Amino acid sequence: MSPEELTYLGILAIAIPAGFLFRYLSPPVKQGAALLLGLSTALATCGVYTLHSLITVVGTWAIIKFNWRSAPHLSLGWTFLYLLFFRLGTFFGLPPSTPFCNAVQLLLTLKMVSLANEVQSFHLMKKEDVSSFSKSSVIGGLSQEPSFYDIISYSYCYVGLMTGPFFRYQTYVDWLQQPNPALLPGREPCLRRLQFVPLYAALFLFVNSYFPLAYVRTEEFLEHHFFFRLFYMTAVFFVFRMRFYAAWCGAEAGCISAGLGCYPEGAKSKPGGGPTVQYSPDPDTPVVYDFKTIQNIDCYNTDFCVKVRHGMRYWNMSVQWWLHHYIYPNSPFKGYTLKAAWTMFISAYWHGLHPGYYLSFLTIPLCMGAESALERERIGG
């Protein structure tokens, strides 16, 4: 394992037991402690590069403060333009940033765009102008506009700071205001989420030892025949999945231990978005809770689903919700295929500037279009 991977493992290992301790803190102490732990982690791993994320937060706060009506579009433009500057920093004489700084910046971009949308919805609800969000797939709303301290606390909350999953500001507020967090389920769902992590980690280490990614970049690799290279890339992709399965399951366990994203099953929560229906529990029936809000990966269905669209649905689920909720509906194009292509282009840009992102991500709408055509042909035949 690389030093970066060991550092990520250490962060996850600390977050899980720390989460159980946070359940016993009062809301103000929990908010401050989560900010302190998250900011300390960012400074320890990113150093002076933490300024990138801080500038992003301050810029978003200024947009929300002075133009909440246009905040969703302005925050998207601001955070994505800053991502470009962040990635091209070497052209401006800045030293290259660390992978940790990149991880913080990616998650923070999602949070800031979502926050701007939530604040706009809050003001529209206050003005009883509900038409613009009547089709929203989430319920509830903010009770007040977040202060600068609230935004900073949400941005640098230690839970999911570098590994995800993405969660809305409303989910964060609900976490702070849980009436009896110590009584919510924690140990059993946490262990269930971790039960296959040793297997994923062992498979990652074993297969990676025989098929290291670094070999792909050598001249020797290119000298092998096509079928060897094809098989090798299949093994490398398997290693890639095992690494993310282990990391994301561990990140979800960190959320579960803290109680973040814990809602009644009747609320029908969606990964990333949270509850989708108003739920009033029967006082005579025990409430059953789940953590679907912070679920980021369905490992089994990712590997064994049949359709491309289903594979997308089960992979990085909280980010898929963000793309579907904030990017797809606001596409400048009409028609499913073009809107899907625009969404995948934005997703590729969010991931990075390497051409491989765009080649792979923009292939997905073509595959989905082909699937739809084959389904129509089968039904028609």
Side-chain angles (χ1 to χ4, degrees), residues 258-270:
L260 178 69
C262 184
Y263 292 101
E265 282 187 353
K268 299 185 183 302
S269 299
K270 296 291 184 182

Side-chain angles (χ1 to χ4, degrees), residues 5-41:
E5 288 169 338
L6 289 174
T7 301
Y8 277 118
L9 180 62
I11 292 172
L12 291 174
I14 292 173
I16 295 173
F20 288 106
L21 297 178
F22 271 80
R23 288 173 176 250
Y24 297 94
L25 303 179
S26 63
V29 177
K30 182 191 291 188
Q31 182 177 12
L35 168 60
L36 181 62
L37 181 56
L39 192 56
S40 299
T41 303

Side-chain angles (χ1 to χ4, degrees), residues 125-206:
M125 288 178 66
K126 195 165 63 171
K127 292 178 177 292
E128 297 182 348
D129 182 6
V130 298
S131 59
S132 62
F133 58 92
S134 58
K135 297 181 180 180
S136 173
S137 62
V138 295
I139 62 153
L142 306 181
S143 59
Q144 61 183 19
E145 182 176 325
S147 65
F148 181 71
Y149 174 68
D150 293 330
I151 295 175
I152 286 286
S153 301
Y154 168 58
S155 302
Y156 289 104
C157 177
Y158 84 95
V159 185
L161 180 67
M162 294 182 181
T163 57
F166 157 77
F167 52 89
R168 297 191 305 138
Y169 178 75
Q170 183 63 60
T171 303
Y172 170 74
V173 172
D174 291 343
W175 175 61
L176 293 179
Q177 297 176 351
Q178 287 171 339
N180 295 298
L183 301 180
L184 296 175
R187 192 174 72 89
E188 290 185 7
C190 187
L191 290 175
R192 282 199 302 270
R193 203 57 185 143
L194 291 173
Q195 63 182 336
F196 291 113
V197 168
L199 174 62
Y200 300 143
L203 289 172
F204 163 73
L205 293 172
F206 177 76

